[in-house]
Amino acid sequence: MSIIIDVASGGVRGGTSILYAATGETISERAGVINLGTEGSMLAGALAAYMVSSQTGNPWLGVAVGAFAGALISSVHAVLVVKRKANQFASGLAVLFLSLGLTSLFGSSYVGKTITPFTVWDVPLLSDIPWIGPILFQQDPLVYLSYLVVPLVWFVLFRTRAGLLVRTAGERSEALTVHGFSVQRVRMAAVIAGGVLAGVGGAHLSIAYTNSWFENMVAGRGFIAVALVIFASWSPLKVFGGAYLFGAALSLGPALQARGYEINQFALHVIPFVLTLTVLAALGRRTISAAPAELKRVFENAPPDP
Amino acid sequence: MSAPTDVMVAEPQAPDPAPAAPARDERWLRAGKLAVRWIAAILGAMIIFSVLVSFQGANPLEVFADMWVSTFQRPRSLTEIFIRMAPITLAALAVVLPARAGMMNVGGEGQVIVGAVGAAGVGLAFDQTLPGGLVMVLMAVGAIVAGAAWAGIAALLRLVFNVNEAVTTLLLNFVALDLLLFLIYQPWRESAAAQPSTREVAVAAQLPTLGSTGVTVGIIVAVAAVIVLGWALTRTRWGYRLGVVGGNPEAARRAAMPVTMLLLSALLVGGALAGLAGWIELSAVELKLRPGFGTQIGYIGFLASWLARHRPLPVLVASFVLAALSVAADSLQLDSGLPASTINILTALLLVAVLGWTTMKGKKT
C-alpha cells in the first residue's frame, strides 16, 4: 500500500517542475507561439534560483530571480519569433542552446555548493487525511504555490479580459488588430509569462526537488512540458494530471528499487513518453482541432525554404 | 572565420523563385548587404561571448587565441574537425529533406541514437564470426533501417493519425535515449562491474581511415550524401515534387501527386541519413555504446540545417563551422578552464543572428 502513496507523492513532487513549465507553455501556445526554449528557461531558472539561494540563504528570493531568468531567456524567443518572424521550432532550439551555454558557463562554480533549499512543510489538519494528506499536503511550499497558480492561470485565461486577448491572439489575431490591440505585444507578453512560470519550474527542480545544480539538469523536462500542453489540449487544469503522471512514472523506478525489486529503470522512465505518443495518436485529429488556430498554422506551415 | 562568409557568397546563387532575376549590380548590392549583416552578426556574437566570458574572469582575447590555435593550427585539429563533421552533416541532411517537403524533423537526435543502436546490434552479433568488411556494411544497413524505422513511427503518426511530426519526433528522442540506456544497463552490457556500456566493435568492423590522415571514410560518406541529395532535390522528379508538396500541398494534391508517399519518403530517407550518422559516430568515433553516446549530434544537425537554410551544399559549410566550434569547445575546457558547453553560447548566438536577421526576405508576414 505504501508504495502507491510513495509513487503518488513522488509524482506530485517530481511533476511540479513540469507542471509550472507546462502551465507557462499553455499561455504561450494559447497566444499562438510554441516555445521549445521552455527547456532553456527552466535551466536558467534552476541555476539562478540555486545561485541566489546559495548566496542569500533565501529560497523565496531564489524563486523570484529564477522566474526573472526564465523570463529573460524566453524574451529572446519572443523577439525572434514575434518581431523577427523566425521559425518557432528553430528559434526555440537556438534559445535552448543559448541557455545551455550560459548556465554551464555561470553554473560551473556552483556545482556542489550548499544551499538553503525549500523543506517539506506539512499543512496542519489536511496532511493528516489518509491517502490524500501524504500525497498532496506533505510537500514543499512551491508545490502548494502551484495549487494556486495553475487554477489562477486558468481563471485569467478564460475569465478575464487579459486572457481573452491572449486567446484571441492565438485564435483570430486579425480580430485583435481590428479592435486596435497589438498582436505582437500580446504574444510577447504571453511568451514571457510562459518563461516566468518555466523559470519557477526550474527553481523547484534545483532548490526544492534535487537540491543541487549540475549542467543540463533539466534533462528534457521542458520538452515534456511542451508535449504535455498538447496532451492536455491547451487546458491548464488538464495539465495537472499529465504533469503528475510524468512525475509518477519517474518516481516509480526508485520506489520499486527501494523495495528490492530488480528492475531496469529505463523501462519505466520511457512510459510517459510512450503514453503521450499513444494519447496523441488516439486523439489524433481531435487534438489538433482543439489547437488554437494560429498555432495550427505554425504546425502546418513549417516553412520549407525561406 | 572565413567559413560563414562562404554561406554568404553562396546566397545570391541560390535559385530565386522571383520571376525576373535581379540585375547584376543589384545582386552585388544585395550580396554586399548580406555580407555586412553576416560580419555584423559574427562580430556581435563574438563581442557578447567576450563579455560573458570575462564575467567569469577569463581574458576573452586569450580565450579566442587559444580556441583559434587549437582548432586550426594543431597538427591533428583539422582531422578532428572532419571526423566530427561527418555525423553532423548527415544529421543536418535528415532535417533538410523533410523540410523540403514542409515537415519539421526535430528527431534527428533520436534517429542518430537508434541508428547507432541498430549498427551496434548488428556489429555485436556478427563481428566475431563474419569478415570485418562485410560486418561494416551490415552495420551501415542496420543503422539505415533503424533510423528510417524510427522516423517511420513519426511518419505513421503524421500520415495515419494526423499528429504533427515536430512533436512526435521530439518525443521519440527521449524514447530513443531510454532505449539506448535500457540496452547498455542490462542486455548489452559488457560487464556488470564496469561502467555501463557495450563492448567495442571489432577493429575490423570499425571505419577505416583515409591513408595516413587519420580522417575516417565517414567524411566521404557525408560528402557523397550531400552531393547525391543535392542532385536528387534539384534534378529528379522526386525532388521537384517534394518542393511542390512543401510549398503548397493543396496544389500538389490537385496535380495528382502522391502526397502521402512523398511525405513518407522524405521522412524515411531523412531518418535513414540520421541513422547513418549514428553508424559513423559509433564505428569511427565512440566505438561502443555508452551513456551520453553521440550527445546532441541530432540537435546540432538541426541547427546546421537552419544555418544552411535547408540547402545541401551550404550544409557542408554549416556543419564544418559547427564541428570546428565543437573542437574549439575542448580548447575552452583545456586551455581556459571554462566548461566545454560554454561554446553553445556562440553556436546559439550565430543561429539567433541567422534566424532573426538574415531570413526576413521572402517571408510572408
Side-chain angles (χ1 to χ4, degrees), chain B residues 27-283:
Chain B
R27 275 177 54 163
W28 281 110
L29 193 70
R30 239 178 59 186
K33 272 187 187 164
L34 210 61
V36 171
R37 276 187 178 180
W38 267 98
I39 292 165
I42 291 165
L43 276 182
M46 286 172 75
I47 290 170
I48 296 176
F49 186 74
S50 302
V51 172
L52 292 169
V53 163
S54 60
F55 278 147
Q56 283 302 86
N59 178 344
L61 290 178
E62 274 173 30
V63 170
F64 278 121
D66 285 339
M67 271 165 58
W68 181 262
V69 169
S70 57
T71 308
F72 291 110
Q73 295 187 333
R74 296 225 170 109
R76 267 191 55 86
S77 51
L78 263 182
T79 306
E80 190 61 28
I81 294 177
F82 282 124
I83 289 177
R84 294 196 196 183
M85 179 183 159
I88 294 176
T89 305
L90 287 165
L93 293 180
V95 181
V96 167
L97 191 55
R100 206 43 85 101
M103 286 183 298
M104 187 75 67
N105 181 11
V106 199
E109 187 80 2
Q111 291 145 19
V112 169
I113 289 174
V114 173
V117 164
V122 173
L124 296 175
F126 297 116
D127 67 350
Q128 306 299 326
T129 47
L130 295 179
L134 179 62
V135 176
M136 203 192 309
V137 173
L138 288 178
M139 282 172 72
V141 173
I144 288 176
V145 172
W150 206 248
I153 300 175
L156 181 82
L157 287 167
R158 155 86 194 240
L159 297 171
V160 179
F161 298 101
N162 204 23
V163 189
N164 176 264
E165 75 287 343
V167 177
T168 54
T169 49
L170 186 63
L171 284 171
L172 283 166
N173 289 343
F174 295 95
V175 181
L177 192 60
D178 281 330
L179 174 70
L180 170 76
L181 292 171
F182 178 86
L183 289 171
I184 61 180
Y185 270 81
Q186 264 170 353
W188 290 6
R189 191 169 185 161
E190 183 179 20
S191 103
Q195 290 289 318
S197 76
T198 65
R199 67 173 167 82
E200 289 191 0
V201 289
V203 177
Q206 294 170 10
L207 275 188
T209 52
L210 293 169
S212 57
T213 56
V215 179
T216 64
V217 293
I219 190 69
I220 304 276
V221 177
V223 172
V226 167
I227 294 170
V228 170
L229 200 66
W231 171 80
L233 285 178
T234 50
R235 296 273 182 274
T236 67
R237 196 173 67 158
W238 177 65
Y240 168 75
R241 288 180 154 189
L242 283 182
V244 176
V245 172
N248 187 343
E250 205 38 55
R253 225 165 257 126
R254 281 204 201 113
M257 289 185 187
V259 174
T260 305
M261 289 312 287
L262 285 168
L263 292 178
L264 183 67
S265 67
L267 266 178
L268 289 186
V269 177
L273 288 165
L276 270 182
W279 167 64
I280 290 175
E281 179 71 10
L282 175 75
S283 41

Side-chain angles (χ1 to χ4, degrees), chain A residues 50-258:
Chain A
Y50 198 78
M51 284 170 131
V52 170
S53 173
S54 145
Q55 296 279 347
T56 67
N58 184 344
W60 286 108
L61 202 59
V63 172
V65 178
F68 180 73
L72 217 55
I73 290 290
S74 69
S75 67
V76 177
H77 183 65
V79 170
L80 278 176
V81 163
V82 177
K83 296 274 182 207
R84 310 297 307 181
K85 308 256 184 288
N87 178 277
Q88 300 194 355
F89 294 98
S91 162
L93 278 188
V95 163
L96 161 63
F97 269 71
L98 182 64
S99 183
L100 265 178
L102 287 173
T103 53
S104 67
L105 176 63
F106 291 108
S108 58
S109 51
Y110 283 86
V111 175
K113 275 251 171 88
T114 50
I115 55 157
T116 315
F118 281 108
T119 46
V120 172
W121 179 74
D122 294 357
V123 180
L125 299 176
L126 289 177
S127 60
D128 297 331
I129 305 171
W131 294 87
I132 295 173
I135 294 171
L136 291 180
F137 298 108
Q138 296 178 14
Q139 301 282 1
D140 62 76
L142 279 186
V143 172
Y144 302 137
L145 185 67
S146 72
Y147 297 162
L148 303 175
V149 166
V150 180
L152 182 71
V153 167
W154 175 86
F155 181 82
V156 171
L157 270 180
F158 293 98
R159 292 289 181 274
T160 68
R161 190 178 161 78
L164 184 65
L165 291 182
V166 168
R167 284 184 296 124
T168 313
E171 292 289 353
R172 290 179 58 227
S173 58
E174 331 70 78
L176 275 189
T177 319
V178 167
H179 287 89
F181 291 100
S182 158
V183 180
Q184 294 203 346
R185 263 194 221 165
V186 174
R187 286 207 177 132
M188 296 273 292
V191 174
I192 292 172
V196 167
L197 288 179
V200 176
H204 181 263
L205 203 57
S206 67
I207 63 173
Y209 185 57
T210 63
N211 299 339
S212 63
W213 162 257
F214 50 93
E215 215 176 278
N216 200 9
M217 72 177 296
V218 175
R221 286 181 177 84
F223 289 137
I224 294 176
V226 175
L228 193 58
V229 175
I230 301 167
F231 181 94
S233 56
W234 296 272
S235 154
L237 297 181
K238 288 188 194 162
V239 163
F240 261 121
Y244 292 158
L245 195 66
F246 273 88
L250 295 179
S251 69
L252 188 58
L256 286 173
Q257 273 164 353

